[in-house]
Amino acid sequence: MQETELFTDFFDADNNEILRALHDTTKRFGQTEIAPHAHAWDEAGAFPRDLHQKAAQIGLLGLGYPEELGGTPATWRMRAVSSVALCRYGGSGGVLASLFTHNIGLPPLMAHGSQALIQSIVPPVLRGEKIAALAITEPGGGSDVAALTTHARREGDDWVINGEKVFITSGLRADYITLAVRTGDGSDTNSAPTKGPRGISLVVVPGQSPGLSRTPLQKMGWWCSDTAQLRFNEVRVPISNTIGEPGSGFKMIMANFNGERLTMAAGAIGYALACFDEALSWCRQRHTFGQALIERQVVVHKLVDMQMRIQASLAWLWRLCDQRDIQGESPAWVAQVCLLKNQSTQTMQFCADQSVQLLGAMGFMRGTVSERVYREVKVMMIGGGAEEIMKELAARQMGL
């Protein structure tokens, strides 16, 4: 099985050269800047901050953002090609999770923020000089965004924020935090914050704000990813840092999840391919009882089963990307994204398991791609909306 045979549908007739060039650039970055260091960075629990600038220099951080802000406009298929390639050839969820948190932190700002706020925050992030993160999840909330309790009261021209967030990627390093808080509509300085989806706002909090404390979290996987618990104690932020109108944040958060889930689906397919690549290479080299593993039917069948799931997920991914680019979002499309997120992460889980099995004892050793991806499967199945949440949301969108 040659790589070119696996990727013929990456590149359609109209965009063949553009997509192939993007794929090849991303592949080189993953192979040279991430893969050789992934194990050491995992063991160290961090990766160098200047990796952001290296990614920015070849346009990866700015993919999908306007040129006037330092970005490169891109279709969703282009973004997906880049995501699949980075995850396949970089092979480290921890690196990529923190390297690209701006892609969940900045979209609400781009869609609803003031021009002054956009101009001050987005360009330095796309240059890799600053890091942006998103803070939604709370210790008692998880996927139930409407139940969040972090709140902000208005005092003059400031919000005064109190509360707690958890499992925040890039939480320690972030220079800008897109924060979900309960504000009401911002007009009454004395009333208690509302409950449910009403009265939630998104506010950009500078990382050096007095009263903000951050605690690192230890995880099953993504060891080199910066993941933190954030505490806000009387943190003051200008009202002008509000994204859109006060109280309108819930819909922004829900819309933001759609892009995050599509990107996670692409990444999961990339990690499945990384496991397949390692398993295939091992099975060609490893000899037992006078034969290469690849010469045994049971081994070949495992590899074919991996490809069956990968190719089905890839075809689904390309179709949803093209639908988003041409038709925009619809309830049916949102349902499909939820289902694909489950399908692709299950594909990742299957391929990681099969690859570790084929590698045998070596698959249990730290330093192999498959061992690392095996540890990272569950965060992909939970992050951005757990499988059970995805099924419920898909059912509602389909009217079931």
Side-chain angles (χ1 to χ4, degrees):
M1 292 181 224
Q2 298 298 318
E3 179 181 317
T4 52
E5 294 169 351
L6 298 177
F7 286 91
T8 53
D9 61 352
F10 247 35
F11 317 109
D12 61 34
D14 294 331
N15 295 301
N16 185 294
E17 293 183 5
I18 295 173
L19 290 176
R20 186 172 294 280
L22 175 60
H23 172 267
D24 292 347
T25 297
T26 308
K27 174 182 176 179
R28 284 193 298 273
F29 185 83
Q31 288 178 327
T32 60
E33 299 294 343
I34 299 176
H37 314 291
H39 176 62
W41 289 345
D42 241 17
E43 296 294 329
F47 64 88
R49 186 173 173 126
D50 67 3
L51 188 66
H52 288 264
Q53 294 183 0
K54 292 180 180 180
Q57 288 167 4
I58 61 170
L60 293 182
L61 293 192
L63 197 65
Y65 293 87
E67 287 183 276
E68 59 268 24
L69 297 174
T72 303
T75 64
W76 272 100
R77 182 178 276 247
M78 291 172 66
R79 299 182 212 189
V81 164
S82 179
S83 294
V84 172
L86 267 175
C87 295
R88 182 184 190 185
Y89 297 108
S92 172
V95 172
L96 298 176
S98 285
L99 186 61
F100 290 96
T101 49
H102 69 289
N103 283 335
I104 56 175
L106 293 185
L109 175 61
M110 291 297 305
H112 304 282
S114 68
Q115 281 303 307
L117 203 57
I118 290 172
Q119 291 292 336
S120 66
I121 292 174
V122 176
V125 171
L126 299 188
R127 291 195 298 266
E129 299 167 359
K130 300 290 185 181
I131 296 172
L134 178 71
I136 305 292
T137 304
E138 298 186 352
S143 296
D144 188 1
V145 176
L148 69 84
T149 60
T150 299
H151 61 278
R153 68 180 186 274
R154 183 166 184 168
E155 289 188 2
D157 292 331
D158 292 338
W159 292 118
V160 182
I161 302 170
N162 287 278
E164 196 170 348
K165 299 291 180 180
V166 72
F167 313 135
I168 306 307
T169 307
S170 291
L172 294 175
R173 293 184 176 187
D175 301 289
Y176 304 111
I177 301 164
T178 300
L179 179 72
V181 293
R182 196 169 287 285
T183 63
D185 63 8
S187 62
D188 190 336
T189 60
N190 297 312
S191 63
T194 55
K195 296 181 179 180
R198 293 179 59 249
I200 293 174
S201 300
L202 288 177
V203 178
V204 178
V205 178
Q208 300 306 312
S209 299
L212 169 61
S213 59
R214 324 189 204 195
T215 304
L217 299 176
Q218 304 299 313
K219 311 174 294 295
M220 177 192 297
W222 283 8
W223 293 349
C224 65
S225 172
D226 156 14
T227 310
Q229 187 159 0
L230 310 180
R231 294 178 178 84
F232 301 84
N233 182 19
E234 297 289 289
V235 173
R236 286 187 171 270
V237 176
I239 296 292
S240 58
N241 279 28
T242 308
I243 298 175
E245 293 298 319
S248 62
F250 185 79
K251 289 184 178 180
M252 298 181 205
I253 295 168
M254 293 299 103
N256 199 45
F257 276 136
N258 296 330
E260 179 182 4
R261 289 162 183 162
L262 190 59
T263 301
M264 290 186 74
I269 296 168
Y271 295 126
L273 280 162
C275 291
F276 174 84
D277 290 343
E278 186 170 59
L280 177 60
S281 176
W282 175 263
C283 290
R284 284 172 169 167
Q285 298 174 32
R286 176 69 166 165
H287 285 69
T288 60
F289 305 101
Q291 276 187 312
L293 290 180
I294 195 70
E295 296 175 18
R296 292 186 166 84
Q297 186 182 63
V298 68
V299 169
V300 171
H301 285 184
K302 285 182 180 292
L303 294 169
V304 169
D305 283 343
M306 293 164 74
Q307 271 301 311
M308 180 174 65
R309 289 164 173 79
I310 289 169
Q311 291 300 322
S313 299
L314 270 174
W316 199 351
L317 174 67
W318 303 145
R319 182 166 67 84
L320 291 184
C321 287
D322 291 344
Q323 285 180 345
R324 174 63 177 79
D325 288 328
I326 297 169
Q327 302 170 0
E329 298 184 9
S330 67
W333 182 86
V334 172
Q336 292 289 304
V337 169
C338 292
L339 297 176
L340 174 60
K341 200 251 180 188
N342 282 359
Q343 162 78 13
S344 61
T345 53
Q346 288 173 12
T347 295
M348 176 183 173
Q349 182 181 48
F350 178 85
C351 291
D353 180 76
Q354 294 300 296
S355 183
V356 168
Q357 188 72 23
L358 288 170
L359 267 67
M362 186 57 67
F364 195 65
M365 296 295 101
R366 275 155 61 167
T368 61
V369 173
S370 299
E371 183 272 338
R372 182 166 57 250
V373 173
Y374 193 94
R375 285 188 280 106
E376 296 174 350
V377 164
K378 277 301 177 183
V379 71
M380 295 290 286
M381 302 179 89
I382 295 169
E387 282 194 345
E388 295 78 7
I389 299 293
M390 294 297 90
K391 291 177 182 178
E392 285 293 320
L393 180 56
R396 288 201 300 271
Q397 296 296 315
M398 293 187 290
L400 300 180

